[in-house]
Amino acid sequence: MAKIISAGNGTKRDVIISRSAGLFRAKGYASSSMRELAELLGVEAPSLYNHIGGKGELLQQICTKVALQFNNQMEEVNAGAASSSAKIESLIRFHIWMMMEHYDEVYVSNHDWRYLNEPYLAKFLAQRKIYEGKFIAIINDGIIKGDLKNLNPFVAVLTILSAVRGLEFWQRHKKDIPAVELEEAMVNHLLNGLIK
Amino acid sequence: MAKIISAGNGTKRDVIISRSAGLFRAKGYASSSMRELAELLGVEAPSLYNHIGGKGELLQQICTKVALQFNNQMEEVNAGAASSSAKIESLIRFHIWMMMEHYDEVYVSNHDWRYLNEPYLAKFLAQRKIYEGKFIAIINDGIIKGDLKNLNPFVAVLTILSAVRGLEFWQRHKKDIPAVELEEAMVNHLLNGLIK
DNA sequence: CCTACCGATCGGTAGG
DNA sequence: CCTACCGATCGGTAGG
């Protein structure tokens, strides 16, 4: 029986992937079952396999999409002629925006990428390395031009990317602190520091 | 048949817990099986249950121990009379030290605490909230005294704690960049910023 | 510490 | 889209 695994961008398939991101975020990829996902969608588990190839494909779609969005944004930022610090600020703001607008997907990508099957795991890691490399290059450029302090660029990128990832936790406090205030405070902290 | 679940601090039990931290870190709690753990220890799976109550207890021991260490350090730092920025620096350095010296346990605690059973989950979250509250208080104090910039203290703590957590990733690059250099760069970045 | 084994649940397939 | 079902694996127990 023919299976419609890669059927265009059929709505059903998209809905399944989208709902799986919510499930994986809430319970973790490894702890989520296809039966739970099916129940969320109001069908029996075997029916899912008419639209997707398997559990691993769901994770793969989520992680690939997120990685693509970040890499596209990096290219866009680098296409401009802004200063290093302006580029960094722009990238930080994009991370914050992604965390707010695509919370489930970003969360799952951050947490469960290691369960990716090959060759997708290798591809994902390679893309991430490229992203980080470009980020490091921006910082290096800023140091050379005297715009930025002479800190280890690798550590600076680690610090920045880890910090924005912490916004996962902030999601639970959304009501307590508005997004715009958080964004300004974090950007300011990461660029200008905490000490007066 | 009597089971020696909470037998003092018997060596066997400690070894099991320690090895489970390594396993959980490598594969994730949900994806790790008691059979794998038994194999690592050179015994059959049922033998483990002579020393521990179950899989959940392993996670519980790991997370509880890590939380205790951080809370103890917080008390110690707060007992001193250092300035806010000195306290913050000291806490950051402790996080880095923990990540280097107790990598598996800290990693597992960071990633898999949500699989904790009640009432340990509630207890863990409560302890974390207390820790963050004390961290926020330190920053607030520094702002009042004019030592620190007037940034949202909640966001500052989020930024700092997330950044140090990113050291998980650095573990893989240990050889490329020495711990002391990383520590100086991250402390400097988080306290003084990136822009010259 | 082991062997033997249980009930539950998993991802996925067959077939219609 | 469903029912029926498979083999694998899980955490854990019984009993010695």
Side-chain angles (χ1 to χ4, degrees):
Chain A
M1 188 149 288
K3 292 186 189 168
I4 318 158
I5 291 180
S6 47
N9 46 3
T11 310
K12 289 247 181 70
R13 177 180 159 87
D14 290 345
V15 170
I16 292 172
I17 295 170
S18 173
R19 292 297 280 268
S20 78
L23 178 65
F24 295 163
R25 198 245 338 132
K27 303 200 50 172
Y29 174 74
S31 297
S32 299
S33 76
M34 296 301 277
R35 282 162 176 81
E36 284 175 292
L37 177 57
E39 196 175 6
L40 284 177
L41 291 159
V43 298
E44 297 298 323
S47 301
L48 297 173
Y49 292 85
N50 291 316
H51 304 284
I52 56 153
K55 190 184 177 185
E57 189 183 305
L58 295 170
L59 181 63
Q60 182 197 121
Q61 288 290 322
I62 293 166
C63 293
T64 300
K65 190 178 152 200
V66 169
L68 183 68
Q69 286 176 281
F70 278 113
N71 277 292
N72 283 346
Q73 180 68 13
M74 176 60 84
E75 286 202 26
E76 196 168 310
V77 165
N78 265 335
S83 68
S84 280
S85 56
K87 282 182 179 176
I88 292 168
E89 180 175 337
S90 167
L91 288 168
I92 293 175
R93 290 187 193 277
F94 184 72
H95 274 270
I96 295 173
W97 180 84
M98 282 287 286
M99 195 63 87
M100 295 185 326
E101 296 301 314
H102 301 282
Y103 177 49
D104 292 336
E105 286 80 0
V106 174
Y107 185 101
V108 170
S109 176
N110 281 345
H111 279 77
D112 294 326
W113 57 265
R114 61 171 161 167
Y115 300 114
L116 246 17
N117 296 320
E118 294 291 4
Y120 306 98
L121 176 58
K123 201 171 175 181
F124 180 86
L125 288 173
Q127 276 190 290
R128 197 167 75 174
K129 195 145 191 136
I130 289 172
Y131 184 84
E132 288 166 0
K134 289 182 177 170
F135 213 134
I136 288 174
I138 291 173
I139 291 181
N140 257 325
D141 190 53
I143 293 173
I144 290 171
K145 291 193 173 138
D147 194 18
L148 303 181
K149 288 178 186 164
N150 191 17
L151 291 177
N152 183 304
F154 170 80
V155 180
V157 170
L158 188 65
T159 302
I160 291 170
L161 294 184
S162 305
V164 294
R165 182 181 159 168
L167 296 172
E168 287 173 2
F169 180 75
W170 159 74
Q171 278 277 349
R172 284 177 256 163
H173 299 261
K174 251 183 170 169
K175 49 219 167 286
D176 300 330
I177 165 171
V180 58
E181 182 183 347
L182 175 125
E183 192 168 332
E184 295 313 313
M186 186 171 281
V187 166
N188 200 348
H189 186 165
L190 289 172
L191 291 180
N192 301 309
L194 188 59
I195 294 182
K196 205 184 256 182
Chain B
M1 187 149 293
K3 292 188 188 167
I4 319 162
I5 291 178
S6 46
N9 46 3
T11 311
K12 290 246 182 70
R13 177 179 159 87
D14 290 345
V15 171
I16 292 172
I17 294 170
S18 173
R19 293 297 281 270
S20 78
L23 178 64
F24 295 163
R25 198 246 338 132
K27 303 200 49 173
Y29 174 74
S31 296
S32 299
S33 76
M34 296 300 277
R35 283 161 175 81
E36 283 176 292
L37 177 57
E39 196 176 5
L40 284 177
L41 291 158
V43 298
E44 296 299 321
S47 302
L48 297 173
Y49 292 85
N50 292 314
H51 304 284
I52 55 154
K55 190 183 177 187
E57 189 183 306
L58 295 170
L59 180 63
Q60 182 196 121
Q61 289 290 321
I62 294 165
C63 294
T64 299
K65 190 178 152 200
V66 170
L68 183 68
Q69 286 175 282
F70 278 113
N71 277 291
N72 283 347
Q73 180 68 13
M74 176 61 83
E75 286 203 27
E76 197 170 308
V77 165
N78 266 336
S83 69
S84 280
S85 56
K87 283 182 178 176
I88 293 167
E89 180 175 338
S90 167
L91 288 168
I92 293 174
R93 289 187 193 277
F94 184 71
H95 274 270
I96 295 172
W97 179 85
M98 282 289 285
M99 194 63 86
M100 295 184 328
E101 295 300 315
H102 301 283
Y103 177 50
D104 291 337
E105 285 81 0
V106 174
Y107 185 102
V108 171
S109 176
N110 281 344
H111 278 76
D112 293 327
W113 57 265
R114 62 170 161 169
Y115 299 114
L116 246 16
N117 297 320
E118 294 291 3
Y120 306 98
L121 176 58
K123 201 171 174 179
F124 181 85
L125 288 172
Q127 276 190 290
R128 196 166 76 174
K129 195 144 192 141
I130 289 172
Y131 184 84
E132 288 167 1
K134 289 180 178 173
F135 214 135
I136 288 174
I138 292 173
I139 291 180
N140 257 325
D141 190 54
I143 293 173
I144 290 171
K145 290 193 173 138
D147 195 17
L148 302 181
K149 288 178 185 165
N150 190 17
L151 291 176
N152 183 303
F154 170 80
V155 180
V157 170
L158 187 67
T159 302
I160 291 171
L161 294 184
S162 304
V164 293
R165 182 180 160 169
L167 297 172
E168 287 173 3
F169 179 76
W170 159 74
Q171 278 276 349
R172 283 177 257 163
H173 299 260
K174 253 184 170 170
K175 48 217 167 289
D176 300 331
I177 165 171
V180 60
E181 182 183 346
L182 175 124
E183 191 169 332
E184 296 312 314
M186 185 171 281
V187 166
N188 200 346
H189 186 164
L190 289 172
L191 292 181
N192 301 309
L194 188 59
I195 293 182
K196 204 184 255 184

